[in-house]
């Protein structure tokens, strides 16, 4: 009988998702709103098909867990170290500033200090699941505002640890008991994180290697799930965020040779459980609380989002983001988050907050989540007016397949295209900037509008049968993403890559790309040669010096690549390389003077 009820529950969930998600996506509101509305309808405050919301919400949190694990797999430890400033700088500033603003507003409304503190802290945190899902749907995770949003969300996950540690101090009945040993939970958390890092470094890879050697794909998938779920439960037991634990596990395994296999195994589970999470959030909306005074709840939700958006926009501008990027940041993480449910629940258990007030805040936070995609649509309209964006073109259908594919048709890609054109060598040019496409077409180039980071576009462009792939994309993150896609799905396709700087070169070299040219290096060397000529050097001398400089720089680049993650050694090596080059040229000068004297 229990199995029968489980099947009925599963059918209800699948039906809600299948009906509501496509409908709301067609309306332009996105899949998240579809899940929320679907959950609200089938939940206890809707038609009541599902009543055990608490258990389902707890289970569905593993969707967020898997999402953070997969994001962690994309962030190698050295890249995470680079993010330390936006994480602790911007993230810390956002939480502190937002909490202070809300505390002042709530105190003005007459709330007690302890209640105002709990509520202001809880609503200063945003929803990791909602924000990352929206960014993922729009393919904006690697944009400036996407990276900053992620950094702030990561800090918020970390901030939950000290927040939960200080909450008991606000409860009058618990103050005496918590005055001693308050550092214990934090020390346990630090010890657990250290143990997880060590285990990941020295145990995870041998374990994956052992299971992979059996050739059993199902067992490998089971091990993947076991590690994610085990890490999450371990972190939960010591009072940390499950999502933070899974993210840490993903970062530890980001350097692993099994990274791509892990991604492909866990992606389907992540999608299903994340959808279940959004359904469960929709089911948890207390419509009874909302219907008591719907205008008040809506006003509070809009006020919450407006204040957070204003603070986030200000932080974006302070951190040198453009106006448009700051606006995107403000719209992405201005909602309340799932941690508010936890903090408010603890506040009630410690008798800091009355239950009805906590329920009101939870209703406001949940409504703010549902309004996030709507705010995104409003933001797009505002941005279109403010920044006069041209409407995007629809991706072209590619009508031909050639030996050469050029991804990126800016100034760099166009020079290569002209050389191929005059030699009657066919090429397929791909460009994602509609303005660039329109300009190139005016000059008679046959160019296709589309995102080269999409596997479907590469297949239609004939990547499986092409001989060369010219990677001429200017944006470093997009360039690396396209390179990864080509190396993974078209391993026999030779890549010739353009790089903007040394960092870009290193990222491409990590992928095993052999032919890489820096787009300003050759022209800078040519100009350096012209400078020497004007200073009186003979043409033959200039040619020889440029050749020696080029060869030495290429060797230096390869050496720097080997130690790129050790800043101290990198600087030491670079300085030593410059001294070696200076000594070599000095030896040439002395040899020349010796010959002249004799």
């Amino acid at each position: 009988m229990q199995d029968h009820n489980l099947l009925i529950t599963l059918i209800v969930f699948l039906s809600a998702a299948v009906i509501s998600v496509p409908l709301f996506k067609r309306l332009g509101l996105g899949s998240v709103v579809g899940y929320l509305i679907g959950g609200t309808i089938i939940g206890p405050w809707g038609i009541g098909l599902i009543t055990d919301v608490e258990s389902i919400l707890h289970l569905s949190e593993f969707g967020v867990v898997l999402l953070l694990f997969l994001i962690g797999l994309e962030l190698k430890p050295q890249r995470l170290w680079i993010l330390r400033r936006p994480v602790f700088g911007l993230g810390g500033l956002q939480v502190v500033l937002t909490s202070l603003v809300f505390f002042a507003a709530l105190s003005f409304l007459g709330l007690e200090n302890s209640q105002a503190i709990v509520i202001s802290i809880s609503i200063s945190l945003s929803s990791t699941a909602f924000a990352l899902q929206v960014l993922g749907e729009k393919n904006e995770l690697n944009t400036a505002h996407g990276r900053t949003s992620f950094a702030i969300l990561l800090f918020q996950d970390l901030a939950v640890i000290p927040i939960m540690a200080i909450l008991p101090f606000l409860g009058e009945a618990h103050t005496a008991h918590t005055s001693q040993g308050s550092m214990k939970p934090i020390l346990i958390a630090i010890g657990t994180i250290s143990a997880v890092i060590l285990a990941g470094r020295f145990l995870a890879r041998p374990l994956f290697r052992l299971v992979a050697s059996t050739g059993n794909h199902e067992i490998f998938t089971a091990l993947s799930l076991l590690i994610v779920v085990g890490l999450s439960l371990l972190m939960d037991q010591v009072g940390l965020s499950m999502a933070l634990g899974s993210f840490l596990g993903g970062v530890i395994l980001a350097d692993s040779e099994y990274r791509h296999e892990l991604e492909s195994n866990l992606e389907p589970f992540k999608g299903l459980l994340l959808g279940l999470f959004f359904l469960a959030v929709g089911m948890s909306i207390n419509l009874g609380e909302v219907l008591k005074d719907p205008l008040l709840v809506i006003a509070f939700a809009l006020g919450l989002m407006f204040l957070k958006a204003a603070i986030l926009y200000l932080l974006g501008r302070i951190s040198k983001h453009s106006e448009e990027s700051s606006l995107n940041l403000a719209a992405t993480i201005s909602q309340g988050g799932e941690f508010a449910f936890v903090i408010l629940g603890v506040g009630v258990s410690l008798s800091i907050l009355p239950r009805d007030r906590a329920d009101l805040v939870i209703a406001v936070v949940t409504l703010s989540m549902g309004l996030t995609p709507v705010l995104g649509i409003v933001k797009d309209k505002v941005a279109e007016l403010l920044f006069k964006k041209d409407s995007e073109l629809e991706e072209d259908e590619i009508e031909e397949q050639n030996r050469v594919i050029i991804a990126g048709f800016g100034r760099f890609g166009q020079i290569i295209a002209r050389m191929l054109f005059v030699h009657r060598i066919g090429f397929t040019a791909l460009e994602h900037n509609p303005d660039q496409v329109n300009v190139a077409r005016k000059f008679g180039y046959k160019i296709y509008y589309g995102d080269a980071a999409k596997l479907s576009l590469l297949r239609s462009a004939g990547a499986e049968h092409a001989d060369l792939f010219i990677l001429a994309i200017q944006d470093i993150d997009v360039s690396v993403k396209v390179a990864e896609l080509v190396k993974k799905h078209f391993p026999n396709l030779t890549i010739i890559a353009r790089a903007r700087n040394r960092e870009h070169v290193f990222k491409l070299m990590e992928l095993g790309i052999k032919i890489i040219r820096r787009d300003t290096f050759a022209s800078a060397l040519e100009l350096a040669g012209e400078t020497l000529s004007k200073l009186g050097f003979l043409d033959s001398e200039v040619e020889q010096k440029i050749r020696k400089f080029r060869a030495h720089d290429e060797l230096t680049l390869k050496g720097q690549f080997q130690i790129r993650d050790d800043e101290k050694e990198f600087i030491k090596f670079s300085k030593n390389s410059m001294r070696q080059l200076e000594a070599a040229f000095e030896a040439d000068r002395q040899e020349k003077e010796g010959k002249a004297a004799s």
Side-chain angles (χ1 to χ4, degrees):
M1 189 66 181
Q2 191 172 357
D3 292 341
H4 181 67
N5 291 334
L6 180 62
L7 287 175
I8 291 175
T9 302
L10 183 60
I11 289 172
V12 170
F13 279 134
L14 293 175
S15 300
V18 168
I19 294 171
S20 60
V21 172
L23 175 62
F24 281 89
K25 287 200 77 171
R26 183 173 288 275
L27 292 173
L29 296 175
S31 61
V32 174
V33 174
Y35 281 120
L36 281 176
I37 299 298
T40 305
I41 292 171
I42 64 174
W45 298 100
I47 58 179
L49 294 177
I50 305 293
T51 55
D52 189 8
V53 178
E54 193 71 31
S55 301
I56 293 166
L57 190 60
H58 194 66
L59 171 65
S60 65
E61 284 177 4
F62 280 104
V64 185
V65 164
L66 288 172
L67 173 67
L68 266 293
F69 181 80
L70 292 173
I71 289 173
L73 283 177
E74 297 294 329
L75 280 176
K76 295 182 180 180
Q78 55 267 32
R79 285 187 65 195
L80 186 60
W81 178 248
I82 293 170
L83 281 173
R84 68 190 184 280
R85 287 178 181 169
V87 169
F88 293 99
L90 273 181
L93 194 57
Q94 183 272 326
V95 171
V96 171
L97 191 57
T98 307
S99 297
L100 288 174
V101 169
F102 281 122
F103 175 78
L106 292 170
S107 297
F108 178 77
L109 292 175
L111 264 70
E112 298 174 9
N113 284 344
S114 58
Q115 293 187 17
I117 290 172
V118 172
I119 295 174
S120 60
I121 290 175
S122 68
I123 60 180
S124 72
L125 307 181
S126 306
S127 174
T128 300
F130 273 70
L132 295 182
Q133 178 76 2
V134 171
L135 287 169
E137 285 185 354
K138 294 183 175 181
N139 198 26
E140 293 177 349
L141 280 168
N142 287 319
T143 60
H145 70 274
R147 289 191 294 268
T148 302
S149 297
F150 175 74
I152 292 173
L153 292 167
L154 180 57
F155 177 83
Q156 291 178 0
D157 277 356
L158 291 167
V160 172
I161 306 167
I163 288 171
M164 298 299 286
I166 66 171
L167 279 182
F169 287 94
L170 301 174
E172 295 176 359
H174 296 262
T175 303
H177 298 290
T178 56
S179 58
Q180 298 179 348
S182 59
M183 287 297 294
K184 185 178 178 182
I186 297 176
L187 293 175
I188 292 174
I190 293 172
T192 304
I193 290 174
S194 302
V196 168
I197 292 173
L198 290 173
R201 284 290 180 190
F202 300 108
L203 296 179
R205 288 187 182 182
L207 189 58
F208 274 116
R209 197 174 296 118
L210 177 65
V211 172
S213 66
T214 66
N216 191 319
H217 182 76
E218 290 76 14
I219 297 299
F220 192 95
T221 302
L223 177 61
S224 306
L225 286 170
L226 177 63
I227 286 180
V228 176
V229 175
L231 272 176
S232 304
L233 288 178
L234 174 64
M235 292 297 181
D236 189 51
Q237 289 298 309
V238 298
L240 296 173
S241 156
M242 289 197 297
L244 178 62
S246 64
F247 172 75
L248 181 63
V251 171
I252 293 169
L253 294 172
D255 284 322
S256 167
E257 61 271 32
Y258 303 108
R259 189 186 100 189
H260 294 297
E261 187 72 14
L262 283 165
E263 286 178 333
S264 61
N265 285 339
L266 296 177
E267 186 68 34
F269 295 99
K270 183 265 289 184
L272 285 171
L273 286 172
L274 202 55
L276 181 61
F277 172 78
F278 295 133
L279 281 171
V281 170
M283 287 187 290
S284 67
I285 296 176
N286 189 335
L287 291 180
E289 192 65 43
V290 174
L291 294 174
K292 284 181 183 177
D293 196 339
L295 293 179
L296 181 67
V297 174
I298 294 170
F300 279 162
L302 293 175
L304 161 66
M305 300 182 78
F306 176 78
L307 283 175
K308 286 186 78 170
I311 294 168
L312 287 162
Y313 180 83
L314 177 64
L315 292 177
R317 297 299 288 151
I318 290 173
S319 57
K320 301 297 194 303
H321 283 52
S322 67
E323 289 184 15
E324 186 176 3
S325 182
S326 299
L327 191 63
N328 288 330
L329 173 66
T332 301
I333 54 173
S334 60
Q335 75 289 117
E338 50 272 9
F339 281 121
F341 304 155
V342 179
I343 294 170
L344 293 167
V346 172
V348 171
S349 67
L350 293 174
S351 302
I352 301 171
L353 280 173
R355 167 54 65 184
D356 59 340
R357 185 158 290 170
D359 285 343
L360 174 62
V361 179
I362 288 172
V364 169
V365 168
T366 308
L367 183 58
S368 73
M369 291 181 183
L371 290 173
T372 300
V374 180
L375 180 62
I377 294 170
V378 173
K379 179 267 300 177
D380 290 340
K381 298 297 182 183
V382 171
E384 190 174 338
L385 292 173
L386 288 178
F387 307 110
K388 297 180 181 178
K389 281 192 164 183
D390 294 326
S391 57
E392 273 199 354
L393 302 172
E394 289 187 10
E395 284 196 348
D396 293 323
E397 291 185 13
I398 299 179
E399 306 162 351
E400 58 183 336
Q401 294 187 353
N402 294 294
R403 293 178 58 194
V404 180
I405 298 172
I406 302 176
F409 209 69
R411 55 187 174 83
F412 200 93
Q414 287 177 25
I415 292 173
I416 299 171
R418 283 161 58 193
M419 180 63 78
L420 295 173
F421 183 81
V422 297
H423 287 89
R424 300 181 183 276
I425 298 173
F427 62 87
T428 302
L430 309 175
E431 174 59 55
H432 195 227
N433 185 329
D435 295 330
Q436 193 67 45
V437 171
N438 291 331
V439 170
R441 284 174 177 171
K442 287 179 183 177
F443 286 89
Y445 287 108
K446 189 171 186 180
I447 179 172
Y448 295 97
Y449 172 73
D451 184 2
K454 291 183 178 178
L455 180 59
S456 58
L457 187 74
L458 294 179
R459 290 194 190 281
S460 63
E464 291 172 316
H465 308 293
D467 296 329
L468 293 174
F469 187 90
I470 311 298
L471 184 57
I473 296 172
Q474 182 178 11
D475 186 281
I476 295 176
D477 291 330
V478 177
S479 170
V480 173
K481 184 178 180 181
V482 172
E484 285 181 333
L485 196 66
V486 173
K487 291 291 287 185
K488 179 179 179 181
H489 294 280
F490 313 103
N492 297 322
L493 181 56
T494 301
I495 299 176
I496 299 177
R498 164 258 191 114
R500 289 183 60 192
N501 50 37
R502 272 174 144 73
E503 180 191 0
H504 195 179
V505 172
F506 294 155
K507 289 182 177 181
L508 295 171
M509 289 174 72
E510 284 177 351
L511 297 173
I513 297 173
K514 305 296 184 186
I515 309 173
I516 307 170
R517 294 293 179 264
R518 286 164 280 166
D519 55 5
T520 58
F521 184 64
S523 56
L525 275 183
E526 185 177 346
L527 194 60
E530 292 286 342
T531 303
L532 292 176
S533 296
K534 293 297 181 184
L535 292 173
F537 287 84
L538 299 175
D539 289 345
S540 57
E541 288 181 293
V542 171
E543 185 178 347
Q544 183 261 341
K545 291 179 185 297
I546 293 297
R547 188 165 55 246
K548 177 173 282 192
F549 187 97
R550 182 192 293 273
H552 185 272
D553 190 79
E554 293 293 339
L555 284 174
T556 300
L557 192 66
K558 291 177 181 177
Q560 289 173 329
F561 174 69
Q562 301 300 325
I563 54 171
R564 62 196 180 281
D565 297 325
D566 189 331
E567 185 179 1
K568 187 176 179 181
E569 285 299 315
F570 187 95
I571 294 172
K572 181 180 176 182
F573 179 90
S574 301
K575 288 181 176 179
N576 187 49
S577 177
M578 182 59 73
R579 284 193 290 268
Q580 289 175 355
L581 182 61
E582 187 178 1
F585 279 126
E586 178 62 21
D588 288 347
R589 188 182 65 79
Q590 290 179 1
E591 182 183 352
K592 179 184 176 184
E593 289 177 352
K595 287 181 180 179
S598 62

